[in-house]
Amino acid sequence: MLVVDDHAMFRAGVRAELATAGAGVVEVVAEAGDVDEAVRAVAEHRPDVVLLDVHLPGGGGVEVMRRVAARPTGGAEPPRFLALSVSDAAEDVIGTIRGGARGYVTKTITGAELVDAVRRVADGDAVFSPRLAGFVLDAFAGTIEVSAVDEDLDRLTEREREVMRLIARGYAYKEVARELFISIKTVETHMSSVLRKLQLSSRHELARWASERRLL
Amino acid sequence: MLVVDDHAMFRAGVRAELATAGAGVVEVVAEAGDVDEAVRAVAEHRPDVVLLDVHLPGGGGVEVMRRVAARPTGGAEPPRFLALSVSDAAEDVIGTIRGGARGYVTKTITGAELVDAVRRVADGDAVFSPRLAGFVLDAFAGTIEVSAVDEDLDRLTEREREVMRLIARGYAYKEVARELFISIKTVETHMSSVLRKLQLSSRHELARWASERRLL
DNA sequence: GACAGGACCGGGGTCTCCCCCGATGGCGCG
DNA sequence: CGCGCCATCGGGGGAGACCCCGGTCCTGTC
């Protein structure tokens, strides 16, 4: 494992904890204190797991993952990243996951828990601290208001729904007309009904409305 | 914990495993064999964790989560769902997570691992089997082609990017002009450059382009 | 100093969007 | 049968979107 954190004291703490709680399970092969060092250390030592601080000089942990992913691995498996941070802010967590981390734990974690988390990430598991699992899964599950959608959407006729779908995808009236073998004027009539029924006022609002509800 | 699975034999197996490996940690308070039973059992026993089979008669595990979420809890905390399935298909996993599950493990799991997974989900952790963590996190991280985006996006000047962002969000030229303290004509000039540089032909295509690349 | 490029602004034109008004034919319902 | 709803089509018009052309400043480069 590679330990990346800008505080040497913290890295020493991780080493000490893992030496006792994780003896024989987790081996620290190297340390790094900023983004450049981290990228070099990954290339040199090819660790299975990188314990990665989120707030790191030189672009943060996300930058490390981005640069490691951009470099050729020479056929070797890329390391798995376990993010470690004092922050439990949603944007940090989600940004880190988007960046490619396979886990995110806060620094309130105990040594034994850290050993377990590292082991799990090494096995391919996803690991999240309790408070963070909520962010990740909620963001992933999305804000799908099933009940509200149906009530509005059911007011539309079949033909109106077809027109709505195409308009929301950015089709011009002319293109919708050609696609559905009807006149432009009919498309305008349907669109007028759609906007009125959905209480929207333009095709742009309609596009956002449909996009938020994943109707495209 | 509530065990939901349509095979009585499997439920018995879970009970037996948890009695030995999870003695004193995990207590099975009830069982259910289909969606209706599961929803009733949740209302009656209010378990902390529901071990939920994905392929279940009556709509699947997703239907259970949907109906439990729709019913008032009477102030009590809703249970956390741990999905359990023979399937490791991406659509099953992602659909289940979208449905609100806090974890997903396959039935190849051992008794000790199951105890650990249940304990973690009860604590609020997200738990995923190794092969599944890939699906979930990749789907969440999205298909972000950093390299392709930058080449196109870097051709835009700073001002063009600002205009592009607002237009992609559905702002009218007039609104963009007001927002950026410039004239409508200037907005048109910038938009013309944006469309030319990105090889797009309308604000609608631009909106889709930006939306696909999560630039909003 | 010439030259390029970016930010800024304008005229004028065509097309699209969105609304108002109208009409016809079909289909089910009381 | 009258009535309402739906799908179809049209005229007209105002506002906006998009594109063509023109221009003035400023800044950085050679």
Side-chain angles (χ1 to χ4, degrees):
Chain A
M1 187 181 70
L2 169 66
V3 180
V4 182
D5 195 293
D6 54 333
H7 298 100
M9 194 64 76
F10 183 82
R11 297 199 302 270
V14 170
R15 263 190 191 277
E17 282 288 346
L18 296 191
T20 56
V25 179
V26 177
E27 182 192 5
V28 177
V29 297
E31 295 181 8
D34 60 35
V35 170
D36 289 333
E37 282 182 24
V39 174
R40 276 200 304 273
V42 167
E44 182 180 347
H45 295 96
R46 301 221 175 277
D48 295 326
V49 177
V50 177
L51 190 67
L52 188 62
D53 189 27
V54 170
H55 296 286
L56 201 65
V62 171
E63 178 66 12
V64 174
M65 292 188 286
R66 203 185 63 75
R67 284 170 55 182
V68 167
R71 299 291 170 283
T73 60
E77 281 296 307
R80 296 199 170 89
F81 293 96
L82 173 59
L84 184 65
S85 174
V86 290
S87 160
D88 62 353
E91 55 264 34
D92 282 337
V93 179
I94 291 178
T96 304
I97 299 305
R98 277 200 203 286
R102 284 248 180 274
Y104 192 116
V105 293
T106 56
K107 288 187 176 176
T108 58
I109 198 170
T110 67
E113 287 168 341
L114 180 59
V115 170
D116 196 40
V118 171
R119 187 185 57 76
R120 284 176 162 269
V121 168
D123 287 347
D125 256 27
V127 178
F128 295 96
S129 294
R131 293 186 184 180
L132 309 179
F135 293 148
V136 175
L137 297 183
D138 289 348
F140 186 78
T143 55
I144 306 174
E145 295 288 339
V146 180
S147 53
V149 165
D150 288 348
E151 286 181 19
D152 283 343
L153 202 57
D154 283 354
R155 292 202 190 101
L156 300 184
T157 67
E158 185 57 38
R159 206 56 164 168
E160 285 165 356
R161 266 192 291 272
E162 293 182 67
V163 172
M164 182 270 290
R165 247 189 305 272
L166 294 174
I167 293 294
R169 286 184 187 175
Y171 281 55
Y173 286 4
K174 190 198 297 182
E175 295 169 327
V176 176
R178 201 185 310 131
E179 194 77 18
L180 301 181
F181 303 104
I182 57 181
S183 113
I184 293 180
K185 279 301 182 176
T186 308
V187 176
E188 292 186 20
T189 303
H190 289 317
M191 256 301 279
S192 176
S193 305
V194 169
L195 293 179
R196 180 174 37 80
K197 288 180 179 178
L198 299 180
Q199 296 179 303
L200 302 172
S201 60
S202 75
R203 61 176 302 142
H204 313 305
E205 291 184 16
L206 177 62
R208 296 194 69 184
W209 181 90
S211 149
E212 284 171 3
R213 284 163 183 73
R214 304 168 192 271
L215 297 178
L216 304 184
Chain B
M1 187 181 71
L2 169 66
V3 180
V4 182
D5 195 293
D6 55 332
H7 298 100
M9 193 65 73
F10 184 82
R11 297 199 302 269
V14 170
R15 263 190 192 276
E17 282 288 345
L18 297 192
T20 56
V25 180
V26 178
E27 182 192 4
V28 177
V29 298
E31 297 181 7
D34 60 35
V35 170
D36 289 333
E37 281 183 26
V39 173
R40 277 199 304 273
V42 167
E44 183 181 347
H45 295 97
R46 301 222 176 276
D48 295 327
V49 177
V50 178
L51 190 66
L52 187 62
D53 189 27
V54 171
H55 296 287
L56 201 64
V62 171
E63 179 66 12
V64 174
M65 293 188 286
R66 205 186 61 77
R67 284 170 55 181
V68 167
R71 301 291 169 282
T73 60
E77 282 293 309
R80 296 197 170 91
F81 292 95
L82 174 59
L84 184 65
S85 175
V86 291
S87 160
D88 62 353
E91 56 264 34
D92 282 337
V93 179
I94 291 178
T96 304
I97 299 305
R98 278 201 202 285
R102 284 252 181 274
Y104 192 116
V105 293
T106 55
K107 288 186 176 176
T108 58
I109 197 171
T110 67
E113 287 168 342
L114 180 58
V115 169
D116 196 40
V118 170
R119 187 185 58 74
R120 284 176 163 267
V121 169
D123 287 346
D125 256 28
V127 177
F128 295 95
S129 293
R131 295 188 183 177
L132 308 179
F135 293 149
V136 176
L137 298 182
D138 289 349
F140 187 78
T143 55
I144 306 173
E145 295 290 336
V146 180
S147 53
V149 166
D150 287 350
E151 286 182 18
D152 283 342
L153 201 57
D154 282 354
R155 293 202 189 102
L156 299 184
T157 67
E158 186 58 37
R159 207 54 165 169
E160 286 165 353
R161 265 194 291 273
E162 292 182 69
V163 172
M164 183 270 290
R165 247 189 304 273
L166 294 174
I167 292 294
R169 287 184 188 176
Y171 281 55
Y173 284 5
K174 191 197 296 181
E175 294 170 325
V176 176
R178 202 184 310 132
E179 195 77 18
L180 300 180
F181 303 103
I182 57 182
S183 116
I184 293 180
K185 282 300 180 179
T186 308
V187 176
E188 292 187 24
T189 303
H190 289 317
M191 258 300 280
S192 176
S193 304
V194 169
L195 294 179
R196 179 175 39 77
K197 288 180 179 178
L198 299 181
Q199 295 179 304
L200 301 173
S201 60
S202 76
R203 61 177 300 142
H204 313 307
E205 290 184 17
L206 176 63
R208 295 195 64 190
W209 182 89
S211 145
E212 284 169 4
R213 282 162 186 71
R214 302 167 192 273
L215 296 177
L216 304 183

